[in-house]
Amino acid sequence: MPQVQSIRRLRRNGESVASIARKTHVSEPTVRKYLAKEDLSAVPSVRKPRASVIDPYLPVIEQWLAEDRANWRKQRHTATRIWERLRDEHGAEVSLSTVTVFCQVGVGRFGVSFSPCERRVSGRFGVGRSCWLLVIALVIA
């Protein structure tokens, strides 16, 4: 900020862009940029929310998981099985890694989670075909 202020001060005193660049050891385009900007405060970039490729299939997945709550633990859907059913039955062009990450991160809104032992087996992100992740329902009364 002090450098920007000195560049602006020199310009107010009548210095040319080239002489300011030489005195401050900054390139001429940078001097022009600092002179042209009104507000130099750092503005954080705002990420626009956008839909995920898995969003259209959330009601289907929620239905499968609701049905799984009545099943024995070994009969419940794995992340791989969810992906296979989406691909085969609904023609979804969703990657296995997207479904796996959704199951680990986004499934909480459906009232299910992964057991700690499955997190250990699946690694940090649990991405890949060899991950056997079981979706275990939480008992919500």
Side-chain angles (χ1 to χ4, degrees):
M1 240 6 219
Q3 187 173 30
V4 175
Q5 291 170 350
S6 66
I7 289 172
R8 290 183 173 190
R9 183 175 27 81
L10 289 170
R11 185 63 173 177
R12 279 193 304 266
N13 292 337
E15 297 280 338
S16 68
V17 173
S19 66
I20 294 172
R22 281 191 300 272
K23 287 180 181 178
T24 58
H25 304 289
V26 177
S27 68
E28 288 185 29
T30 303
V31 171
R32 286 190 188 92
K33 178 179 77 172
Y34 288 157
L35 292 174
K37 277 197 166 185
E38 294 288 326
D39 183 21
L40 291 172
S41 61
V43 177
S45 60
V46 177
R47 294 188 73 171
K48 296 177 183 173
R50 57 183 185 169
S52 173
V53 293
I54 203 166
D55 283 349
Y57 307 103
L58 292 183
V60 175
I61 296 172
E62 184 178 22
Q63 178 187 356
W64 292 339
L65 296 177
E67 292 167 1
D68 280 352
R69 289 184 189 117
N71 293 340
W72 181 55
R73 181 178 62 86
K74 292 284 189 172
Q75 297 296 317
R76 294 179 181 159
H77 282 84
T78 63
T80 304
R81 182 65 184 132
I82 291 172
W83 173 71
E84 289 170 349
R85 284 189 70 184
L86 284 174
R87 183 192 62 198
D88 298 340
E89 297 174 15
H90 298 278
E93 294 183 10
V94 179
S95 67
L96 174 60
S97 61
T98 302
V99 174
T100 305
V101 169
F102 165 77
C103 288
Q104 289 181 334
V105 175
V107 168
R109 57 186 152 173
F110 299 123
V112 296
S113 67
F114 288 92
S115 71
C117 64
E118 290 158 353
R119 285 192 188 117
R120 245 183 288 126
V121 169
S122 67
R124 182 162 182 218
F125 296 107
V127 178
R129 290 181 184 255
S130 63
C131 298
W132 292 100
L133 303 173
L134 300 175
V135 179
I136 298 177
L138 295 174
V139 177
I140 300 176

